[in-house]
Amino acid sequence: MQLGLMVKAPETAIAIYVAIARERNAEVAPEDIVVQDAQDRWVVFQVLGGGQGDWMDMERGGGRLELTIMKRDGAVVAAHYSR
């Protein structure tokens, strides 16, 4: 029996992202989380300051966690800190 997609909605991808970010003691600002639909996967990350970009923080090493989450089974297939 096929289960279908396990992570159908972007809200589910956000919940996975928040759980992993908090486990890593990363700061999480839900209003700054972006979800991109990449066909069979979600790419989830945070932007600084609602997308305005605080360039000083970025230059000081303020990269944010980025996850790629498969829609089919919820597997996190890529994780890194982006700048």
Side-chain angles (χ1 to χ4, degrees):
M1 179 168 116
Q2 294 231 337
L3 295 174
L5 296 179
M6 296 297 289
V7 185
K8 296 178 191 177
E11 294 80 12
T12 307
I14 290 171
I16 293 168
Y17 177 89
V18 168
I20 291 172
R22 287 190 175 149
E23 180 72 20
R24 299 188 52 79
N25 295 319
E27 290 184 31
V28 179
E31 66 276 6
D32 294 341
I33 295 175
V34 175
V35 181
Q36 295 177 338
D37 188 338
Q39 298 179 337
D40 63 342
R41 63 196 73 204
W42 299 106
V43 178
V44 188
F45 56 94
Q46 284 191 88
V47 294
L48 297 173
Q52 300 304 312
D54 183 343
W55 299 110
M56 290 185 67
D57 275 349
M58 292 179 80
E59 287 181 11
R60 286 193 307 250
R64 299 291 191 251
L65 179 65
E66 180 176 316
L67 300 179
T68 301
I69 302 166
M70 298 303 295
K71 291 179 181 180
R72 178 186 71 251
D73 59 8
V76 176
V77 296
H80 67 277
Y81 285 95
S82 59
R83 291 171 64 71

